[in-house]
Amino acid sequence: MNLEKRVEKPNLVRKKGLIPGVLYGKGIESVSIQIEEAEFLKLLRENGTNKTFSVKLGRKKHIVYIKKYAQEIMSPKRVIHFDLLKVSQDDTITSSVPLHFIGKEKFEKSNLVFSTNKDEVDVEYNVGSGISGIDVDVSNLTEDKPLHFKDIVVPEGIKVLNDPEELLCSLNIVTEKAEAEETEIDAETEVVEETPETTEE
């Protein structure tokens, strides 16, 4: 991926369909850069904010990852700025990776409610071993057998930093009694409208 050094102000860069950014990290001074919007969105889809990849600025290549990016408030799909952090092959990276729960839809039409304490996991990995997300199969989950962080299956080279015994997700039974109580409360609730006070003259 080729980057361009940025010399114009961010607003002028955006008008040309480019996204302004900054490249910084080990062994280099902070450099203002820019990239085609479509190219950056492709990088973001493929790598997220965890995986490292190679870029070229001028004649030099750098191993980087997307440290952070900013989106337009009124148009969240539009990225208006990004930071690339340069790393070396010997670095270890810690990051939070999103969890994708697979198979939870099977509980939607039952009396079981799927709940999770967290939707991401803290991981540690060497440069080149990053991942953009982790799939967690919950289709075999039962009400008496919840999942803990130790049950997450991660690729080789990825280390989970969360407490292994920490609860990740579980199933709760919705009883008929609880549903009946909710219905009873709704039936007893009345809407009281205030009438305006009248003043005698």
Side-chain angles (χ1 to χ4, degrees):
M1 176 61 64
N2 292 321
L3 300 174
E4 298 177 1
K5 190 172 182 179
R6 177 168 59 86
V7 294
E8 296 180 310
K9 293 182 178 181
N11 287 340
L12 295 177
V13 170
R14 295 186 189 104
K15 289 181 179 179
K16 296 180 179 180
L18 303 171
I19 303 178
V22 179
L23 170 65
Y24 59 94
K26 288 187 175 181
I28 61 170
E29 295 183 0
S30 178
V31 183
S32 297
I33 56 175
Q34 62 189 33
I35 188 174
E36 292 282 348
E37 183 177 12
E39 291 185 3
F40 177 81
L41 293 178
K42 181 181 178 182
L43 283 175
L44 185 59
R45 285 194 303 270
E46 294 177 349
N47 305 288
T49 55
N50 304 289
K51 296 177 67 174
T52 57
F53 52 92
S54 178
V55 296
K56 187 176 181 181
L57 181 61
R59 296 182 178 180
K60 294 185 177 181
K61 288 185 177 181
H62 307 284
I63 301 173
V64 302
Y65 70 96
I66 301 173
K67 179 66 176 178
K68 59 181 179 180
Y69 62 95
Q71 298 165 289
E72 194 173 76
I73 296 177
M74 301 303 294
S75 303
K77 291 184 179 181
R78 188 187 180 198
V79 177
I80 57 176
H81 193 274
F82 67 97
D83 288 7
L84 294 183
L85 180 61
K86 178 186 175 181
V87 294
S88 68
Q89 289 286 5
D90 299 326
D91 285 339
T92 299
I93 300 173
T94 58
S95 182
S96 294
V97 177
L99 295 171
H100 308 297
F101 296 99
I102 309 300
K104 62 181 181 179
E105 61 277 358
K106 69 176 289 185
F107 310 116
E108 292 178 355
K109 295 183 179 180
S110 67
N111 65 335
L112 298 174
V113 177
F114 174 82
S115 62
T116 177
N117 292 332
K118 291 187 178 180
D119 56 5
E120 61 182 18
V121 59
D122 298 327
V123 295
E124 180 181 88
Y125 51 90
N126 294 326
V127 170
S129 300
I131 50 178
S132 57
I134 298 175
D135 291 339
V136 180
D137 186 0
V138 298
S139 59
N140 295 320
L141 195 66
T142 63
E143 59 271 24
D144 58 352
K145 189 179 179 182
L147 288 183
H148 299 79
F149 276 90
K150 65 182 179 182
D151 299 315
I152 298 177
V153 179
V154 295
E156 184 178 354
I158 305 296
K159 179 182 178 182
V160 175
L161 300 179
N162 297 75
D163 180 355
E165 300 301 327
E166 183 180 355
L167 181 65
L168 175 60
C169 59
S170 60
L171 287 179
N172 298 309
I173 300 177
V174 179
T175 62
E176 294 181 1
K177 181 179 179 181
E179 293 177 346
E181 288 177 351
E182 291 180 2
T183 303
E184 185 177 343
I185 292 174
D186 291 339
E188 292 177 354
T189 303
E190 296 182 358
V191 178
V192 179
E193 296 183 359
E194 295 185 0
T195 56
E197 296 181 0
T198 58
T199 304
E200 296 183 358
E201 295 185 359

